[in-house]
Every structure is written in structure tokens, then in C-alpha cells.
């Protein structure tokens, strides 16, 4: 026979070997409750009828109901007929166990048996009256037990954290230890206190709380032995009964908790060493730890890392303090305030308090005040070390080792948005130091392995750094990125545009990018870093590094179609070259600027820049550069609808390339001559020139496949105009394939438009539509102005011929 358990101290339940028996509802449950409330006692039939039925029922109805109950209980049936009555004889009934434990003085264990209001799911006036007596029994036991309730109240403006609260709700195990970690001011304690109050009913033996002062600016971390003595007092141990020996005190502490369901909230822990002596020995308690340390070396701990509040929750936190009406009056200013606080609850609370203190102060004015990075941490300084953002960060900083502290300061020179361990190495950092900073939540590490600062933490770190230290760190970071990019240059392209870098500073270790896929992956990952570093370099007056970084940014920004950022970066580089009076640097920056302006649709600015570049190249006596500039000028004339002028510029480019023996320049010029011949209606001459260009680019091998694809796209255009649609399709498909493999999205889109035109000419309407839509998606993604031309094609195709 299986293990049968009956439970009335909570919802009515019957279990066999841990599996709940499905009981019928209504009168059956009332009958079983009436019998279990008088266990092992014969209840006369007339009493049962009075308890189960309001009108008294009948003996026939009672017998039918008893048979139905016995059938439902099956092997769990413990109901017998005795004379003119019935008796329930449960071997294991929680009510009897409760009374037995209470009689032994094991009050905490007795109270643990209660799962909620007794028989709460049984609808009977008589049962409810009987339950009131049970409640008094429970209260009497509770009065004999010392139940600590030490958890402070959580903040009134607590918002969000639904997922984290849910994770704490569902944590289980023989001894549940949840370690809530996160940055200073992220709301670890508030979360822990909120959950502790929500879950208070789970811990009938009480809740113990201690602030371990692990990161307190004014006091030493709490000693575990001192905490244990305080907990013994809270658990009802009289001063005279506390052992003198610390080991004996620990033994008594663990003995008292061995059979009690208690929550221990160990707040603001320094590390696992401080926490271990406080862990109970039994498996009834639950331990909740908050710390800036991840507690990764605490066996059995379930980590819960707390991040910044999302935008909606951050807005809700401030709104809860300043009022919905005021928040609704300035939604944009409120959003700006939230963004400037970076989702850090401590910062948000300070801002909300400042706003609440002066109801007449516009939120926009408050946002303007905090927007200045130089004063932001001052604004968030409350004058109280416990509530000031700067002070909160300083507690974590003071605990760092010297190498980690130094790296923390130097990394503040990095402009973000993120960086790799390799960049930190060029600052003299080690992986151990990075791990220490991440463990202290002064750095955040993403799943991709990259690191980033919270904006406010970066400002704090910058404030610790001297100007000399900051400038040296910035130089090292720039050398790291410049020399990594320099080492990854394509050899053929480098030979046409030579660039000499000064040796990197001692200790700088550029990354090794062994092949083209790795090179492009690096550029894609670092592109936002490089643009930010270019601005920082210019602001620091490091002009040579500035224009050189702008040079390398051209590679990444052009490939990804980020035209406006490309223009901005090169304008920064050009200004640096002009400050230096460096003609060589200026010629390159003007050339790149012309290309960037052209892609951004600033055609007049592009012509002015390329004309100035041509003058610089002539002064330098560089026909290769001058020829490249004439190619840009030809493209600009073409886009302005002047194909004859474009053709003249392309021929000038060819003469210069032939004069200098520049094979790639000759190929590019031939392609342009062919293209503009096509624009002027001579498609046979166009194909002849463009096919020569294809052949020249192929002699360069894999290093100039993009140039080959550009020429193929031109060939396909003229093949279509001559009616050779099959050849045009094949040629375009090859161009698309090369552009896609190389990652040149804008050129891929351009070739797709050409291919779609060929499908359209062949009457393949659906293929044309799909191809144009693919091109449209690329243009929309990169924000290219050619998007309107593609939309027009799709609109005209959808309209179809007029129905007249």
C-alpha cells in the first residue's frame, strides 16, 4: 500500500506516493473535511448530515455521498462505517502532525506545515466555523515562537524588475542561495527587499537581515561572528545563553535554523568569504545575497545579475515621484533625463528628487543642466555618501587592486561604445584586471566578449585621470587601432596610396588580422569605435593620428554605405591636415571627401573637393592620385546629367594612368569611358572598353575583384541595350556575386537594379520585381538616395499598362 497523506492546513488535498488524488467538488469535499477535522473519531450520521447539507439532508443521500467519496479516494480510502456513523482514520494527517510537533515544543516545524488558510477551497459555513478554532491554535503556537521580522521596507517608488522577481519566486533546491549582483546604484537592495516582503508568507519562522557593509565608505565590513551573535538574539536566545566561544555560537546558530523556514537577506556583501560563515546548515532556509561581487566562487549560489532599467521602467520610476501630470507635460524632456541617467536607478532617483523638490522647475531645464558631462556627476552628488552616485562608484573603485585601478582610469580615454581585451592590452592591461573590473561591475562584458562602460561610470573614471595620463592613454589607443588597420591593408591598394605611420608607442600591441574575412569582421566590429576615436583625437590636438584614422575609416564607411558619417570623419581629417599644413594628407582627405560627398548626394560640394584635390595632386606631382580624382570628377558630371563632360574627364584619367603605368587606374578609366559611351548611345564601344577593363582587373587577381565587378556591371548594361538579354543576365549575376562576397552593399544594390532592368526587358515581371525589391531593401538599410529610383521602378511596374 502506498504512502497516503491527508492535508487540511491549506487547500484540501490527498496524496498517494506524492501524487495528488483528484477529488470531486462540492459536497464530497465538505464530507471529507468534516471527517478529517475529527480524525479517528466516529461522527454520527445525523451530525454529518447537518454539517454537509444546509437543510439536513437524508440518510440515503449521505450513504450515496460516502460511497462516491470512497470510490474517488480509491487506495487512499480511510473512511469506515461504524454503527450509525462514520470515521476517518488517516495515518498521516497534517493537522495531527501539527498538534504533535507543537506539543513537543517544535513550534517552527509545526508552523511550517501550514500552506495557507486551512480548507480555503471548501465551501461550507460549518467548516469555516471550525477553521476559526484552528486559526486560534496556530496563533497560540506562534505566540510561543520568536519570529524575527527584520527586513526593512522597500523603496516606495519601486518599479519594474518583473523578470527578476519571477526568477526569485521560482528558485528552488535543498538550500536556495540567490546571489543578486550588479553595479553600484542599480537597485540590488531594493529588489531584494521588495521580493522579501512579497514572499514573507513563505517563511513562517521569520526573516533575518543584515547590512554586511561590504562597500561602505565610512565603516569596515561586518564580521560574520558579530552578525551571528545578532542573529542569535533575534532568534530568541537570551544573552546569558549565548556561548562564549565563537565556534560554539556558530554551532548554536545553525542548530536553531536547522528545522526552521527562515529567509536570510545578507545585504551588501563584500565577497563569498564574508558570506560563507553565515550560511545555515539545514535545508529549510533560503538565503538572498546582494553584492557588487558576482559570488561566482560561492558553491550552490544561483546568480542573478541586475542590469540597468529599461526605458519604460526608468520613465515610470521618475513619474512615480514627480507625478503623471508633470511627466505628461514634458515627455521629451523626461525621456532625455532618463537617457542621461543611463537607466541607473540611483541616478534616476536623485533626478526625480531634484525635480520633485521644485515643482516650478521645467524638466527641460533640468535636462540641460545634467547634459553637460563636466558637471553631471556633481549634479548627481547629494552630499551623502550613501546616496551619491560618485560616492557609490568610489566604494567599488577603492576595493580594486592597483593594476585594475590603473586600467580603469586609462580606459576612460576610450570613446566607446565598446572595446576588446586586445585594446585594453595596449594600455598595459591584463585579462585578470579586466575580469576584476567586470566582477566589480565597473565594466560590463557582453556575450560577444566585448567590454563597455556605463556612461556615468566612464565619467567617474575620467575624473580620476590626470590630463597627462589621459593623453597618453588616448595616444596608445589610437596607435592600437591605426596599426591594426595599417597591417590589414590590401597590398595592391597600399602600393597605389602609400602611407607611412610612426612606430607605435612601447607596449602597444596591434591585432593580427590574417585574412580578408577577419579584416572585414574587425572593421564591422570597430567601425563605431573608430569614428568616436577620430573625434577624440581631433579634440586632443593629435592631428597626424586624426587624418590617418580618417583615411582608414574610408575603407569601412564606404563599404557599409554610411555616407554622412564618412563625410563627417573625412572633414575632421581634412581640418587636421590643414592645421598641420601637410599637403600630402590634405590631398588624400580632399579626394576622400569628394567621394563621400558624392555618395551623400552633395554633388556641388563633391566637385569643389575633387577640384581642390586635383590641384593638390598636381602640386605634389602625383599622376596616380590625380587620375583617381578625375575618375571621381567624371562620375560627378555623369550624375549631373553631363555625359560628354564626364567622358572628357574619364579620358583625362586614362591619360594620367597610362603615363604613370597604373594598371588599376587604366582599368577603372576604361570602364568609365565605356560607361559614358553607353550613356551617349554607343553601346558597342561601351562593351569594347568595359571588357578591356574587366581583363585588366582580372590580371590583378583576387585583390581587385571589386573593380572587375564594377566593369562587369557596365558590360551588362550595354548588353541589355543591344538586346543580348541572356548575356546581360549572366554578366549581372556574376557582378552581384562578387559585390555580395566582398560586402559592398551599395554596389551590390546597384548591380541588382541593373539585373532587374534586364529581367524587366525580358518580360520576366516577377523576377524583375523581386530583384528590385532586394535592391530597395539594401538602399533603405544604408539610407542611399538611389532608393527613390528603385521605388519608381516598382511603382511603374505595379501600375502596368494603361487600361485606356
Amino acid at each position: 500500500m502506498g504512502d497516503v497523506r491527508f492535508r487540511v492546513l491549506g487547500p484540501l488535498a490527498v496524496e498517494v506516493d506524492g501524487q495528488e488524488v483528484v477529488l470531486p467538488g462540492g459536497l464530497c469535499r465538505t464530507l471529507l473535511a468534516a471527517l478529517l477535522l475529527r480524525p479517528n473519531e466516529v461522527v454520527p450520521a445525523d451530525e454529518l448530515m447537518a454539517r454537509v447539507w444546509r437543510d439536513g439532508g437524508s440518510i440515503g443521500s449521505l450513504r450515496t455521498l460516502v460511497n462516491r467519496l470512497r470510490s474517488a479516494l480509491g487506495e487512499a480510502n480511510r473512511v469506515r462505517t461504524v454503527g450509525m456513523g462514520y470515521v476517518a482514520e488517516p495515518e498521516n494527517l497534517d493537522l495531527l502532525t501539527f498538534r504533535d510537533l507543537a506539543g513537543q515544543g517544535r513550534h517552527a516545524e509545526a508552523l511550517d506545515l501550514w500552506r495557507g488558510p486551512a480548507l480555503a477551497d471548501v465551501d461550507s459555513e460549518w467548516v469555516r466555523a471550525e477553521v476559526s478554532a484552528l486559526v486560534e491554535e496556530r496563533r497560540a503556537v506562534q505566540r510561543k515562537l520568536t519570529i524575527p521580522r527584520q527586513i526593512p521596507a522597500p523603496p516606495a517608488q519601486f518599479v519594474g524588475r518583473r523578470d527578476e522577481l519571477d526568477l526569485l519566486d521560482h528558485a528552488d533546491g535543498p538550500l536556495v542561495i540567490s546571489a543578486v549582483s550588479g553595479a553600484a546604484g542599480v537597485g540590488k537592495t531594493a529588489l531584494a527587499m521588495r521580493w522579501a516582503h512579497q514572499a514573507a508568507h513563505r517563511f513562517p519562522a521569520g526573516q533575518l537581515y543584515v547590512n554586511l557593509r561590504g562597500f561602505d565608505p565610512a565603516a569596515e565590513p561586518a564580521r560574520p561572528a558579530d552578525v551571528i551573535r545578532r542573529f542569535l538574539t533575534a532568534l530568541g536566545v537570551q544573552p546569558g545563553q549565548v556561548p562564549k566561544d565563537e565556534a560554539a555560537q556558530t554551532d548554536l546558530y545553525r542548530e536553531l535554523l536547522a528545522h526552521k523556514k527562515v529567509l536570510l537577506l545578507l545585504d551588501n556583501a563584500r565577497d563569498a568569504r564574508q558570506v560563507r560563515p553565515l550560511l545555515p546548515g539545514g535545508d529549510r532556509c533560503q538565503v538572498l545575497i546582494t553584492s557588487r561581487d558576482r559570488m561566482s566562487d560561492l558553491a550552490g549560489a544561483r546568480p542573478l545579475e541586475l542590469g540597468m532599467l529599461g526605458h519604460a521602467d526608468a520613465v515610470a520610476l521618475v513619474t512615480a515621484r514627480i507625478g503623471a501630470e508633470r511627466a505628461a507635460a514634458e515627455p521629451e524632456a523626461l525621456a532625455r533625463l532618463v537617457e542621461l541617467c543611463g537607466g541607473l536607478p540611483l541616478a534616476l532617483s536623485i533626478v526625480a528628487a531634484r525635480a520633485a523638490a521644485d515643482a516650478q522647475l521645467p524638466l527641460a531645464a533640468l535636462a540641460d543642466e545634467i547634459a553637460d558631462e563636466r558637471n553631471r556627476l556633481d549634479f548627481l552628488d547629494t552630499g551623502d555618501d550613501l546616496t551619491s552616485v560618485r560616492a557609490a562608484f568610489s566604494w567599488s573603485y577603492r576595493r580594486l587592486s592597483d593594476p585594475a585601478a590603473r586600467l580603469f582610469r586609462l580606459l576612460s580615454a576610450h570613446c566607446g561604445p565598446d572595446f576588446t581585451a586586445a585594446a585594453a592590452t595596449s594600455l598595459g592591461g591584463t585579462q585578470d584586471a579586466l575580469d576584476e573590473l567586470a566582477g566589480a561591475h565597473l565594466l560590463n562584458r557582453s556575450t560577444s566578449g566585448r567590454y563597455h562602460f556605463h556612461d556615468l561610470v566612464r565619467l567617474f573614471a575620467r575624473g580620476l585621470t590626470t590630463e597627462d595620463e589621459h593623453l597618453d592613454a588616448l595616444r596608445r589607443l589610437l596607435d592600437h587601432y591605426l596599426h591594426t588597420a595599417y597591417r590589414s591593408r590590401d597590398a595592391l591598394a597600399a602600393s597605389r596610396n602609400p602611407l607611412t605611420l610612426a612606430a607605435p608607442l612601447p607596449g602597444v600591441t596591434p591585432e593580427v588580422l590574417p585574412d580578408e574575412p577577419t579584416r572585414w569582421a574587425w572593421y564591422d566590429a570597430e567601425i563605431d569605435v573608430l569614428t568616436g576615436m577620430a573625434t577624440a583625437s581631433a579634440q586632443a590636438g593629435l592631428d597626424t593620428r586624426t587624418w590617418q584614422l580618417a583615411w582608414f575609416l574610408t575603407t569601412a564607411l564606404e563599404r557599409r554605405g554610411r555616407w554622412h558619417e564618412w563625410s563627417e570623419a573625412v572633414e575632421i581629417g581634412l581640418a587636421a591636415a590643414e592645421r598641420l599644413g601637410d599637403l600630402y594628407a590634405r590631398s588624400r582627405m580632399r579626394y576622400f571627401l569628394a567621394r563621400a560627398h558624392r555618395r551623400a548626394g552633395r554633388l556641388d560640394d563633391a566637385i569643389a573637393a575633387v577640384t581642390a584635390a586635383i590641384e593638390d595632386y598636381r602640386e605634389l606631382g602625383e599622376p596616380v592620385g590625380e587620375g583617381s580624382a578625375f575618375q571621381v570628377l567624371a562620375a560627378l558630371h555623369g550624375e549631373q546629367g553631363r555625359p560628354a563632360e564626364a567622358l572628357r574627364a574619364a579620358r583625362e584619367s586614362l591619360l594620367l594612368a597610362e603615363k604613370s603605368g597604373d594598371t588599376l587606374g587604366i582599368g577603372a578609366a576604361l570602364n568609365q569611358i565605356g560607361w559614358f559611351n553607353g550613356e551617349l548611345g554607343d553601346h558597342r564601344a561601351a562593351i569594347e572598353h568595359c571588357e578591356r577593363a574587366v581583363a585588366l582587373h582580372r590580371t590583378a587577381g583576387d585583390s581587385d575583384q571589386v573593380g572587375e565587378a564594377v566593369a562587369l556591371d557596365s558590360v551588362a548594361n550595354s548588353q541589355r541595350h543591344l538586346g543580348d538579354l541572356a548575356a546581360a543576365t549572366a554578366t549581372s549575376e556574376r557582378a552581384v556575386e562578387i559585390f555580395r562576397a566582398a560586402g559592398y552593399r551599395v554596389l551590390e544594390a546597384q548591380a541588382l537594379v541593373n539585373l532587374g532592368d534586364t529581367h524587366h526587358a525580358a518580360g520576366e515581371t516577377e523576377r524583375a520585381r523581386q530583384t528590385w525589391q532586394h535592391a530597395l531593401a539594401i538602399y533603405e538599410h544604408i539610407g542611399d538616395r538611389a532608393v527613390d529610383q528603385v521605388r519608381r521602378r516598382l511603382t511603374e511596374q505595379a501600375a502596368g499598362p494603361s487600361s485606356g
Side-chain angles (χ1 to χ4, degrees):
M1 187 175 295
D3 177 31
V4 180
R5 297 173 183 265
F6 292 84
R7 300 179 184 273
V8 296
L9 302 181
L12 179 63
V14 181
E15 296 176 358
V16 177
D17 293 332
Q19 298 295 314
E20 189 164 344
V21 176
V22 178
L23 297 173
L27 298 179
C28 260
R29 299 178 73 84
T30 304
L31 173 61
L32 180 59
L35 290 168
L36 291 175
L37 287 174
R38 290 177 62 180
N40 303 312
E41 180 182 338
V42 177
V43 184
D46 56 348
E47 284 188 31
L48 280 176
M49 287 187 287
R51 294 171 184 177
V52 174
W53 285 276
R54 292 179 181 176
D55 60 1
S58 66
I59 190 66
S61 298
L62 178 60
R63 288 171 179 163
T64 300
L65 189 62
V66 169
N67 288 334
R68 184 179 170 204
L69 175 61
R70 286 170 170 165
S71 176
L73 290 171
E75 67 173 296
N77 178 40
R78 299 293 184 274
V79 178
R80 289 194 306 115
T81 304
V82 179
M84 292 300 293
Y86 299 91
V87 60
E89 299 173 327
E91 293 92 346
N92 191 325
L93 173 64
D94 58 358
L95 175 58
L96 293 176
T97 306
F98 167 75
R99 288 169 175 164
D100 182 49
L101 290 171
Q104 299 177 42
R106 295 163 65 180
H107 302 121
E109 293 175 70
L111 292 170
D112 278 354
L113 294 172
W114 285 74
R115 297 169 292 117
L119 296 170
D121 57 343
V122 178
D123 185 16
S124 162
E125 290 183 12
W126 179 84
V127 167
R128 283 194 287 274
E130 289 293 306
V131 164
S132 334
L134 289 182
V135 169
E136 285 306 315
E137 278 190 65
R138 183 185 187 187
R139 287 174 179 166
V141 174
Q142 287 174 329
R143 284 192 291 270
K144 296 176 183 178
L145 179 69
T146 301
I147 302 178
R149 302 289 184 192
Q150 295 188 330
I151 309 291
Q157 279 82 34
F158 185 90
V159 299
R161 305 299 193 195
R162 288 171 290 276
D163 291 344
E164 291 85 352
L165 290 168
D166 187 59
L167 284 171
L168 290 173
D169 269 340
H170 292 90
D172 57 10
L175 172 60
V176 179
I177 307 173
S178 297
V180 181
S181 64
V186 81
K188 302 179 292 294
T189 298
L191 171 71
M193 289 179 177
R194 177 58 170 257
W195 182 80
H197 280 274
Q198 285 184 186
H201 64 280
R202 299 186 184 186
F203 305 100
Q207 301 165 319
L208 296 172
Y209 170 83
V210 62
N211 178 359
L212 293 173
R213 305 193 303 271
F215 296 87
D216 196 305
E220 289 296 313
R223 291 178 64 246
D226 296 337
V227 174
I228 286 174
R229 282 194 291 274
R230 288 172 49 194
F231 282 172
L232 286 174
T233 300
L235 291 168
V237 179
Q238 297 303 310
Q241 298 174 323
V242 176
K244 302 295 184 185
D245 181 66
E246 288 187 355
Q249 292 170 8
T250 301
D251 291 342
L252 176 59
Y253 164 70
R254 289 190 171 138
E255 181 183 341
L256 289 173
L257 292 180
H259 303 291
K260 292 181 178 179
K261 204 163 189 179
V262 173
L263 172 67
L264 286 83
L265 174 46
L266 310 179
D267 190 24
N268 196 19
R270 174 72 179 91
D271 51 32
R273 285 187 305 171
Q274 189 185 24
V275 165
R276 286 192 191 96
L278 302 176
L279 299 181
D283 61 2
R284 305 281 290 164
C285 295
Q286 187 161 342
V287 182
L288 185 56
I289 304 163
T290 73
S291 178
R292 300 183 196 181
D293 184 87
R294 285 190 169 89
M295 297 284 164
S296 54
D297 55 343
L298 184 63
R302 292 158 174 79
L304 173 56
E305 191 159 342
L306 208 57
M308 301 300 156
L309 286 177
H311 180 79
D313 285 339
V315 168
L317 191 154
V318 178
T319 300
R321 185 68 186 270
I322 67 173
E325 183 177 349
R326 190 173 177 193
E330 293 186 83
E332 292 181 2
L334 176 57
R336 188 169 166 227
L337 278 172
V338 164
E339 182 180 353
L340 289 167
C341 290
L344 183 69
L346 176 59
L348 291 163
S349 298
I350 294 170
V351 166
R354 292 284 177 90
D358 185 354
Q360 304 305 313
L361 178 66
L363 297 183
L366 201 60
D368 289 341
E369 186 176 351
I370 196 175
D372 188 344
E373 287 191 349
R374 296 168 297 179
N375 304 322
R376 191 173 305 166
L377 289 179
D378 292 334
F379 180 90
L380 297 173
D381 190 344
T382 63
D384 182 347
D385 282 347
L386 295 175
T387 59
S388 168
V389 170
R390 182 184 280 111
F393 293 157
S394 71
W395 309 338
S396 296
Y397 174 72
R398 292 172 192 168
R399 304 289 184 182
L400 296 175
S401 65
D402 288 343
R406 179 178 181 276
L407 180 60
F408 178 67
R409 296 192 304 272
L410 297 182
L411 282 170
S412 69
H414 199 287
C415 305
D418 54 14
F419 53 88
T420 61
T425 300
S426 287
L427 291 173
T430 64
Q431 189 60 54
D432 285 346
L434 282 171
D435 289 344
E436 186 177 346
L437 292 173
H441 290 90
L442 290 170
L443 274 186
N444 300 308
R445 178 167 43 206
S446 68
T447 53
S448 66
R450 296 178 70 87
Y451 297 85
H452 67 276
F453 277 118
H454 186 281
D455 284 349
L456 295 176
V457 176
R458 180 180 57 78
L459 289 177
F460 170 72
R462 179 67 182 89
L464 301 171
T465 313
T466 67
E467 286 304 316
D468 287 345
E469 196 174 38
H470 177 81
L471 192 58
D472 179 65
L474 182 59
R475 287 192 181 104
R476 290 179 175 280
L477 288 168
L478 287 165
D479 281 3
H480 173 86
Y481 291 114
L482 280 169
H483 282 270
T484 300
Y486 184 80
R487 291 182 179 191
S488 71
R489 291 183 307 162
D490 175 78
L492 189 58
S495 68
R496 300 181 72 239
N497 284 287
L499 173 65
T500 302
L501 295 184
L505 291 171
V508 172
T509 53
E511 298 173 59
V512 177
L513 309 176
D515 52 36
E516 190 168 4
T518 306
R519 171 194 179 199
W520 287 125
W522 181 83
Y523 266 120
D524 286 343
E526 304 292 356
I527 189 168
D528 292 325
V529 171
L530 298 176
T531 53
M533 294 301 294
T535 300
S537 180
Q539 290 172 345
L542 302 175
D543 288 331
T544 298
R545 289 177 172 89
T546 301
W547 73 259
Q548 289 171 344
L549 191 54
W551 178 312
F552 289 120
L553 268 168
T554 286
T555 303
L557 294 171
E558 179 182 26
R559 181 172 178 265
R560 281 302 179 206
R562 293 167 66 163
W563 315 132
H564 297 288
E565 291 168 273
W566 185 15
S567 293
E568 291 170 3
V570 180
E571 283 173 339
I572 290 171
L574 176 58
E578 288 174 336
R579 284 193 296 270
L580 289 167
D582 188 329
L583 181 59
Y584 181 88
R586 189 180 72 184
S587 67
R588 267 64 185 175
M589 293 299 103
R590 283 174 165 173
Y591 168 67
F592 291 148
L593 189 59
R595 288 167 52 189
H597 282 342
R598 176 199 163 210
R599 287 298 189 184
R602 296 168 58 181
L603 302 186
D604 290 339
D605 290 337
I607 287 178
V610 77
T611 301
I614 288 170
E615 292 174 0
D616 283 347
Y617 284 129
R618 283 177 177 165
E619 187 175 345
L620 287 166
E622 289 193 14
V624 172
E626 187 182 351
S628 297
F630 267 105
Q631 289 173 26
V632 175
L633 183 60
L636 287 165
H637 285 321
E639 291 194 28
Q640 291 184 323
R642 299 196 295 269
E645 290 179 55
L647 184 57
R648 282 195 294 273
R651 285 174 172 156
E652 184 65 27
S653 174
L654 178 60
L655 289 173
L656 288 162
E658 289 175 339
K659 175 182 176 182
S660 59
D662 178 13
T663 303
L664 294 183
I666 293 170
L670 284 170
N671 175 61
Q672 279 197 320
I673 291 169
W675 176 266
F676 291 117
N677 269 311
E679 291 285 281
L680 291 166
D682 191 349
H683 289 288
R684 296 194 183 281
I687 290 176
E688 177 188 345
H689 283 88
C690 293
E691 285 183 340
R692 286 175 59 197
V694 170
L696 280 171
H697 285 297
R698 281 179 179 165
T699 62
D702 291 341
S703 59
D704 197 40
Q705 279 197 311
V706 172
E708 175 190 342
V710 171
L712 285 170
D713 188 47
S714 300
V715 170
N717 182 64
S718 286
Q719 286 172 332
R720 182 180 71 254
H721 280 90
L722 291 173
D724 192 352
L725 301 183
T729 298
T731 306
S732 281
E733 287 175 345
R734 175 57 183 155
V736 169
E737 179 185 340
I738 294 173
F739 290 139
R740 186 170 297 157
Y744 275 90
R745 304 300 307 283
V746 68
L747 296 178
E748 178 189 348
Q750 182 178 302
L752 283 168
V753 172
N754 196 4
L755 178 58
D757 290 348
T758 301
H759 290 323
H760 183 70
E764 297 174 331
T765 306
E766 181 57 23
R767 289 185 70 186
R769 185 186 66 80
Q770 291 177 359
T771 305
W772 286 334
Q773 283 188 330
H774 191 175
L776 179 65
I778 295 174
Y779 281 138
E780 286 179 333
H781 179 72
I782 63 180
D784 192 90
R785 57 199 170 93
V787 70
D788 292 334
Q789 299 174 15
V790 185
R791 286 188 182 132
R792 187 161 52 250
R793 280 172 167 83
L794 287 164
T795 301
E796 290 171 355
Q797 184 201 51
S802 173
S803 59

